[in-house]
Amino acid sequence: MIQTILLKHRPKGRPKLSDFEFTKEDVELNIKDGELLLETLYVSVDPYLRGRMSDAKSYIEPFELNQPIHSGIIAKVLESKNENFNSGDFVSGRLDWKTKQISDGKGLHKVDPNKADLSAYLGVLGMTGLTAYLGLTQIGKPKHGETLVVSGAAGAVGSVVGQIGKILGLRVVGIAGTDEKINMLKSKFGFDAGINYNTTKDMKAAIKEAAPNGVDVYFDNVGGPISDAVLFNINRFARMVICGAISVYNNTELPKSVSVQPFLIKNSALMQGFIVSNFENKFPEAIEALSNWLAEDKLAYSETIVEGFERIPQAFIDLFDGKNMGKMVVKL
Ligand code: NDP
């Protein structure tokens, strides 16, 4: 029995379970020369998938209606007629939300369960780790002694950004949505300070207090009012990495924000959008740095692992309620 999850409707506002459809097929999958039969083990759910569910123009094609959704997946090779893979290998790649599927091997990479937990290849050693490392180093250009503020700090990308900031010798301030997350940032990931944006009335003042020397690098995962408050605290020559804007992904109207130009001019500051796939030539450097820091125990990671194929859509929706600490992953 093969189960698949299709995009049934383009979500209007916040995604709902009824935007997804489950199908079941009682078929036998037979591979041809060059192909592999894969069994899905771990599925990554990510905020950026929300953008692909709408048909607005973006840097990546929208998902098609009534077709399987795809995302980062770790799978086991059950059978191989492809010379690059053997049965029993574990692979990572962008694959369909299916319990089993056939692949031609293109875009798949072998992953080693002896070097790291398989799920880590979707997070700290996968797309979100690459995003953290490359966004921070290529656009944030952090310097020892500076102050880094990270929003969405307790998530997959943010928690790694903050730790890299500490490794590079910066003061690191994290913004997240619960006290439990703020405690984790400080106790597990070594952040210097944390701000719970849900209980803080004056974000501008809270950022000023947590970053008394001002903000040199802002790694933005959320956009909206949190990022507006950071703008009031930036230093001259500040760099702002615009990586994500989850606070507005479900908006049905254009968001209202403060006008950024005066802040940029006054401070000779830089604000630049970031897409991880633009930096593919730097993936090997990033993976090497992240793997070394992990092996040296300089880098830790958290995961929220939800079990069951049928829970993939809900796990995705839960990202918008901050139900995850670290990387949200579904285990089959
Ligand atoms: P996370 O693990 O950070 O999960 C999402 C988190 O966002 C939630 O846990 C929640 O935490 C927070 N959140 C949800 N709604 C809001 C809101 N309204 N305001 C503030 N915070 C909110 O996800 P990722 O680490 O995978 O992704 C982080 C960001 O980076 C996303 O915006 C994503 O789209 C972007 N991204 C961009 C990439 C690129 O190449 N540009 C690549 C990968 C990710 P809390 O409890 O703190 O609210």
Side-chain angles (χ1 to χ4, degrees), residues 45-49 59 127-128 131 151-159 175-178 181 197-198 219-223 226 242-249 273-277 318-328:
V45 289
D46 305 270
Y48 84 89
L49 298 172
Y59 62 96
M127 193 269 288
T128 56
T131 298
S151 57
V157 174
S159 58
I175 302 172
T178 65
K181 290 184 179 186
Y197 70 89
N198 279 317
F219 196 105
D220 189 4
N221 283 313
V222 306
I226 293 173
I242 310 304
C243 172
I246 191 167
S247 74
V248 298
Y249 288 172
F274 168 84
I275 295 294
V276 63
S277 52
D318 284 348
L319 290 168
F320 298 95
D321 288 328
K323 296 224 173 124
N324 58 311
M325 306 252 275
K327 181 78 193 92
M328 182 76 109

Side-chain angles (χ1 to χ4, degrees), residues 231-244:
L231 269 176
F232 285 88
N233 287 285
I234 58 170
N235 285 336
R236 285 196 79 202
F237 303 113
R239 286 83 65 201
M240 286 172 275
V241 187
I242 310 304
C243 172

Side-chain angles (χ1 to χ4, degrees), residues 107-329:
L108 295 184
H109 304 279
K110 283 189 208 177
V111 293
D112 184 348
N114 298 312
K115 288 202 176 139
D117 294 335
L118 284 171
S119 53
Y121 293 98
L122 295 176
V124 65
L125 293 177
M127 193 269 288
T128 56
L130 290 168
T131 298
Y133 179 92
L134 292 167
L136 184 61
T137 57
Q138 298 298 306
I139 296 175
K141 297 197 178 4
K143 294 189 205 76
H144 193 276
E146 289 188 328
T147 298
L148 163 69
V149 171
V150 189
S151 57
V157 174
S159 58
V160 175
V161 169
Q163 291 181 84
I164 299 174
K166 286 312 301 172
I167 292 169
L168 300 179
L170 284 84
R171 175 174 175 81
V172 177
V173 178
I175 302 172
T178 65
D179 287 345
E180 194 189 0
K181 290 184 179 186
I182 298 298
N183 288 338
M184 175 182 76
L185 294 181
K186 293 198 268 191
S187 60
K188 180 166 180 177
F189 298 132
F191 284 50
D192 298 289
I195 302 169
N196 177 347
Y197 70 89
N198 279 317
T199 55
T200 300
K201 289 209 176 71
D202 185 345
M203 280 300 288
K204 236 175 8 180
I207 294 163
K208 188 167 187 197
E209 194 184 331
N213 297 328
V215 180
D216 300 295
V217 183
Y218 175 45
F219 196 105
D220 189 4
N221 283 313
V222 306
I226 293 173
S227 301
D228 290 347
V230 175
L231 269 176
F232 285 88
N233 287 285
I234 58 170
N235 285 336
R236 285 196 79 202
F237 303 113
R239 286 83 65 201
M240 286 172 275
V241 187
I242 310 304
C243 172
I246 191 167
S247 74
V248 298
Y249 288 172
N250 292 326
N251 278 20
T252 47
E253 287 170 15
L254 274 181
K256 291 187 181 64
S257 276
V258 302
S259 180
V260 298
Q261 290 86 347
F263 294 94
L264 299 183
I265 296 165
K266 247 188 337 200
N267 296 292
S268 303
L270 171 86
M271 183 178 246
Q272 188 176 335
F274 168 84
I275 295 294
V276 63
S277 52
N278 291 344
F279 293 88
E280 262 182 52
N281 61 331
K282 299 209 178 291
F283 284 5
E285 165 198 326
I287 289 294
E288 195 186 338
L290 293 163
S291 314
N292 288 343
W293 287 329
L294 267 182
E296 294 162 10
D297 281 335
K298 289 184 178 160
L299 193 59
Y301 63 94
S302 284
E303 295 174 324
T304 298
I305 298 194
V306 170
E307 295 208 19
F309 183 79
E310 66 289 352
R311 294 175 72 192
I312 294 173
Q314 187 61 54
F316 166 70
I317 293 169
D318 284 348
L319 290 168
F320 298 95
D321 288 328
K323 296 224 173 124
N324 58 311
M325 306 252 275
K327 181 78 193 92
M328 182 76 109
V329 176

